Amino acid sequence: DTAVSQTPKYLVTQMGNDKSIKCEQNLGHDTMYWYKQDSKKFLKIMFSYNNKELIINETVPNRFSPKSPDKAHLNLHINSLELGDSAVYFCASSHGAGSSYEQYFGPGTRLTVT
Amino acid sequence: SQKIEQNSEALNIQEGKTATLTCNYTNYSPAYLQWYRQDPGRGPVFLLLIRENEKEKRKERLKVTFDTTLKQSLFHITASQPADSATYLCALAMDSSYKLIFGSGTRLLVRP
């Protein structure tokens, strides 16, 4: 009965490869997010979808492409992986799109690019 | 742009004492301020939210204050326990924005 789940938990790949991370939430929330947490522990927003519509698109290389097939899923596809993409990626969801809503985070996906 | 500062040094306290963590921000005051807890290898967990027109918010042993004059929020854990050991993140949200801006967190260690 996990609220926000991500797969895989660990991802080790070589530079230049393309990979995807999947996220699902069973909370019935309308809004989902992708965050990147780097080695200094800063958690930075990358994307957000509300009812399958993109509402936040931060300054992220266009090698990163989110896809929301429905309100319960938000996947992240990364093309041509680079060393600097190594980080922990967190998916999150919230009941609404406003910043007054608490966010529920998944367990994270640790991506290591070699 | 908005910046958030949390003490990067770990806070080390004795069990039973009150832990106080600080979150300072620059520029304009946020509409909302949230606090999260993060354990190693896990995602952040929401703890408390306080609005700009609220001075204080409590939940069990937790208390958050919001001082827009000092541009600061304080997070208190009373009667701290070793299980409270974790990294605590503050996050700001502007009224017109959908996004949260997170600080880098402060690690709390509670000694038994």
Side-chain angles (χ1 to χ4, degrees):
Chain A
D1 59 345
T2 305
V4 181
S5 59
Q6 295 178 227
T7 54
K9 186 163 176 63
Y10 300 96
L11 186 52
V12 180
T13 188
Q14 293 184 328
M15 286 175 56
N17 285 346
D18 303 339
K19 291 293 179 185
S20 292
I21 307 172
K22 295 185 176 181
C23 178
E24 176 181 1
Q25 54 95 3
N26 63 5
L27 298 168
H29 287 167
D30 292 332
T31 308
M32 297 184 72
Y33 311 80
W34 276 112
Y35 286 88
K36 178 181 181 180
Q37 189 169 43
D38 59 25
S39 57
K40 294 184 179 180
K41 302 304 181 184
F42 276 105
L43 200 61
K44 294 181 182 176
I45 183 71
M46 300 173 69
F47 303 103
S48 178
Y49 274 75
N50 178 248
N51 285 318
K52 300 198 302 177
E53 180 183 345
L54 183 65
I55 58 172
I56 297 177
N57 187 356
E58 288 295 285
T59 308
V60 176
N62 57 16
R63 297 181 295 104
F64 290 79
S65 54
K67 281 187 174 56
S68 182
D70 55 57
K71 286 198 319 181
H73 296 86
L74 179 61
N75 303 322
L76 183 65
H77 189 75
I78 315 170
N79 289 327
S80 303
L81 279 155
E82 299 178 357
L83 293 176
D85 297 333
S86 295
V88 181
Y89 292 85
F90 288 99
C91 176
S93 71
S94 62
H95 182 64
S99 49
S100 63
Y101 292 95
E102 62 193 77
Q103 295 186 14
Y104 292 77
F105 284 80
T109 296
R110 182 175 291 277
L111 172 65
T112 303
V113 182
T114 61
Chain B
S1 62
Q2 187 71 286
K3 290 187 178 179
I4 304 168
E5 295 175 354
Q6 292 186 259
N7 195 338
S8 58
E9 294 183 12
L11 178 63
N12 200 324
I13 65 169
Q14 185 72 42
E15 181 177 9
K17 301 293 186 183
T18 296
T20 299
L21 287 72
T22 304
C23 177
N24 295 305
Y25 57 91
T26 60
N27 300 332
Y28 35 87
S29 286
Y32 308 98
L33 196 149
Q34 301 187 21
W35 283 88
Y36 288 78
R37 169 185 172 141
Q38 186 172 22
D39 291 281
R42 309 190 80 153
V45 175
F46 172 80
L47 296 174
L48 282 168
L49 178 152
I50 188 166
R51 293 173 168 77
E52 62 178 336
N53 60 352
E54 296 176 319
K55 296 292 186 187
E56 182 179 298
K57 203 76 167 285
R58 291 175 184 263
K59 179 183 176 183
E60 298 173 351
R61 295 185 295 113
L62 310 180
K63 184 178 83 172
V64 172
T65 62
F66 195 177
D67 189 326
T68 56
T69 301
L70 294 178
K71 295 188 176 181
Q72 181 181 81
S73 174
L74 298 179
F75 178 80
H76 307 271
I77 305 175
T78 58
S80 60
Q81 304 165 0
D84 295 326
S85 299
T87 296
Y88 291 86
L89 308 170
C90 75
L92 308 182
M94 311 312 294
D95 192 33
S96 59
S97 169
Y98 293 122
K99 64 182 181 182
L100 288 177
I101 303 170
F102 279 84
S104 60
T106 298
R107 189 175 172 208
L108 172 66
L109 299 172
V110 181
R111 303 187 309 273

mmCIF file of all heavy atoms in Angstrom, chain B residues 5-22:
data_model
loop_
_atom_site.group_PDB
_atom_site.id
_atom_site.type_symbol
_atom_site.label_atom_id
_atom_site.label_comp_id
_atom_site.label_asym_id
_atom_site.label_seq_id
_atom_site.Cartn_x
_atom_site.Cartn_y
_atom_site.Cartn_z
ATOM 1 N N GLU B 5 18.729 29.543 3.768
ATOM 2 C CA GLU B 5 19.931 29.121 4.478
ATOM 3 C C GLU B 5 19.546 28.318 5.711
ATOM 4 O O GLU B 5 18.793 28.786 6.563
ATOM 5 C CB GLU B 5 20.752 30.342 4.884
ATOM 6 C CG GLU B 5 21.311 31.129 3.704
ATOM 7 C CD GLU B 5 22.019 32.401 4.140
ATOM 8 O OE1 GLU B 5 21.971 32.731 5.344
ATOM 9 O OE2 GLU B 5 22.601 33.079 3.271
ATOM 10 N N GLN B 6 20.074 27.110 5.748
ATOM 11 C CA GLN B 6 19.950 26.295 6.941
ATOM 12 C C GLN B 6 21.355 25.960 7.402
ATOM 13 O O GLN B 6 22.265 25.796 6.579
ATOM 14 C CB GLN B 6 19.187 25.005 6.654
ATOM 15 C CG GLN B 6 17.716 25.220 6.322
ATOM 16 C CD GLN B 6 16.990 23.894 6.206
ATOM 17 O OE1 GLN B 6 16.736 23.410 5.111
ATOM 18 N NE2 GLN B 6 16.661 23.329 7.349
ATOM 19 N N ASN B 7 21.527 25.822 8.690
ATOM 20 C CA ASN B 7 22.839 25.539 9.234
ATOM 21 C C ASN B 7 23.346 24.205 8.694
ATOM 22 O O ASN B 7 22.712 23.169 8.896
ATOM 23 C CB ASN B 7 22.775 25.497 10.759
ATOM 24 C CG ASN B 7 24.165 25.565 11.368
ATOM 25 O OD1 ASN B 7 25.155 25.247 10.708
ATOM 26 N ND2 ASN B 7 24.253 25.974 12.608
ATOM 27 N N SER B 8 24.464 24.246 7.997
ATOM 28 C CA SER B 8 24.979 23.024 7.389
ATOM 29 C C SER B 8 25.660 22.111 8.397
ATOM 30 O O SER B 8 25.855 20.926 8.148
ATOM 31 C CB SER B 8 25.960 23.359 6.268
ATOM 32 O OG SER B 8 27.021 24.131 6.789
ATOM 33 N N GLU B 9 26.008 22.686 9.551
ATOM 34 C CA GLU B 9 26.636 21.863 10.581
ATOM 35 C C GLU B 9 25.563 21.083 11.325
ATOM 36 O O GLU B 9 24.466 21.582 11.551
ATOM 37 C CB GLU B 9 27.408 22.730 11.577
ATOM 38 C CG GLU B 9 28.608 23.439 10.962
ATOM 39 C CD GLU B 9 29.387 24.217 11.994
ATOM 40 O OE1 GLU B 9 29.138 24.028 13.194
ATOM 41 O OE2 GLU B 9 30.233 25.037 11.590
ATOM 42 N N ALA B 10 25.910 19.879 11.707
ATOM 43 C CA ALA B 10 24.962 19.042 12.442
ATOM 44 C C ALA B 10 24.713 19.617 13.829
ATOM 45 O O ALA B 10 25.597 20.205 14.448
ATOM 46 C CB ALA B 10 25.483 17.615 12.548
ATOM 47 N N LEU B 11 23.484 19.458 14.275
ATOM 48 C CA LEU B 11 23.114 19.866 15.626
ATOM 49 C C LEU B 11 23.105 18.613 16.502
ATOM 50 O O LEU B 11 22.366 17.670 16.220
ATOM 51 C CB LEU B 11 21.737 20.520 15.610
ATOM 52 C CG LEU B 11 21.179 20.969 16.955
ATOM 53 C CD1 LEU B 11 22.070 22.043 17.559
ATOM 54 C CD2 LEU B 11 19.759 21.496 16.797
ATOM 55 N N ASN B 12 23.940 18.641 17.524
ATOM 56 C CA ASN B 12 24.132 17.475 18.375
ATOM 57 C C ASN B 12 23.594 17.802 19.769
ATOM 58 O O ASN B 12 24.110 18.705 20.421
ATOM 59 C CB ASN B 12 25.631 17.164 18.439
ATOM 60 C CG ASN B 12 25.901 15.741 18.870
ATOM 61 O OD1 ASN B 12 25.196 15.197 19.699
ATOM 62 N ND2 ASN B 12 26.936 15.153 18.298
ATOM 63 N N ILE B 13 22.545 17.101 20.207
ATOM 64 C CA ILE B 13 21.973 17.423 21.514
ATOM 65 C C ILE B 13 21.714 16.159 22.313
ATOM 66 O O ILE B 13 21.678 15.047 21.774
ATOM 67 C CB ILE B 13 20.660 18.223 21.390
ATOM 68 C CG1 ILE B 13 19.576 17.374 20.717
ATOM 69 C CG2 ILE B 13 20.862 19.516 20.618
ATOM 70 C CD1 ILE B 13 18.214 17.989 20.808
ATOM 71 N N GLN B 14 21.506 16.358 23.591
ATOM 72 C CA GLN B 14 21.223 15.253 24.507
ATOM 73 C C GLN B 14 19.727 14.930 24.481
ATOM 74 O O GLN B 14 18.876 15.844 24.390
ATOM 75 C CB GLN B 14 21.636 15.665 25.935
ATOM 76 C CG GLN B 14 21.507 14.580 26.980
ATOM 77 C CD GLN B 14 22.568 13.512 26.824
ATOM 78 O OE1 GLN B 14 23.728 13.820 26.570
ATOM 79 N NE2 GLN B 14 22.172 12.273 26.972
ATOM 80 N N GLU B 15 19.408 13.672 24.573
ATOM 81 C CA GLU B 15 18.015 13.239 24.658
ATOM 82 C C GLU B 15 17.291 13.993 25.768
ATOM 83 O O GLU B 15 17.840 14.211 26.848
ATOM 84 C CB GLU B 15 17.977 11.736 24.940
ATOM 85 C CG GLU B 15 16.579 11.153 25.020
ATOM 86 C CD GLU B 15 16.596 9.645 25.229
ATOM 87 O OE1 GLU B 15 17.684 9.090 25.473
ATOM 88 O OE2 GLU B 15 15.530 9.027 25.134
ATOM 89 N N GLY B 16 16.058 14.390 25.482
ATOM 90 C CA GLY B 16 15.258 15.106 26.465
ATOM 91 C C GLY B 16 15.322 16.611 26.328
ATOM 92 O O GLY B 16 14.424 17.314 26.796
ATOM 93 N N LYS B 17 16.371 17.115 25.654
ATOM 94 C CA LYS B 17 16.491 18.565 25.445
ATOM 95 C C LYS B 17 15.640 18.996 24.257
ATOM 96 O O LYS B 17 15.156 18.172 23.480
ATOM 97 C CB LYS B 17 17.956 18.934 25.188
ATOM 98 C CG LYS B 17 18.903 18.560 26.309
ATOM 99 C CD LYS B 17 18.634 19.385 27.543
ATOM 100 C CE LYS B 17 19.693 19.096 28.610
ATOM 101 N NZ LYS B 17 19.432 19.834 29.866
ATOM 102 N N THR B 18 15.500 20.300 24.138
ATOM 103 C CA THR B 18 14.776 20.850 22.996
ATOM 104 C C THR B 18 15.752 21.170 21.870
ATOM 105 O O THR B 18 16.750 21.865 22.083
ATOM 106 C CB THR B 18 14.026 22.135 23.382
ATOM 107 O OG1 THR B 18 13.021 21.827 24.351
ATOM 108 C CG2 THR B 18 13.366 22.776 22.160
ATOM 109 N N ALA B 19 15.441 20.661 20.696
ATOM 110 C CA ALA B 19 16.253 20.963 19.511
ATOM 111 C C ALA B 19 15.636 22.155 18.797
ATOM 112 O O ALA B 19 14.417 22.209 18.623
ATOM 113 C CB ALA B 19 16.290 19.764 18.572
ATOM 114 N N THR B 20 16.465 23.091 18.392
ATOM 115 C CA THR B 20 15.986 24.264 17.649
ATOM 116 C C THR B 20 16.787 24.397 16.367
ATOM 117 O O THR B 20 18.004 24.561 16.400
ATOM 118 C CB THR B 20 16.122 25.548 18.477
ATOM 119 O OG1 THR B 20 15.323 25.437 19.663
ATOM 120 C CG2 THR B 20 15.632 26.752 17.661
ATOM 121 N N LEU B 21 16.095 24.327 15.244
ATOM 122 C CA LEU B 21 16.724 24.441 13.936
ATOM 123 C C LEU B 21 16.260 25.737 13.278
ATOM 124 O O LEU B 21 15.118 26.153 13.445
ATOM 125 C CB LEU B 21 16.351 23.253 13.050
ATOM 126 C CG LEU B 21 16.997 21.903 13.368
ATOM 127 C CD1 LEU B 21 16.425 21.293 14.645
ATOM 128 C CD2 LEU B 21 16.836 20.952 12.202
ATOM 129 N N THR B 22 17.176 26.330 12.511
ATOM 130 C CA THR B 22 16.918 27.648 11.940
ATOM 131 C C THR B 22 16.834 27.584 10.423
ATOM 132 O O THR B 22 17.589 26.859 9.782
ATOM 133 C CB THR B 22 18.049 28.618 12.337
ATOM 134 O OG1 THR B 22 18.163 28.646 13.759
ATOM 135 C CG2 THR B 22 17.748 30.024 11.844
#
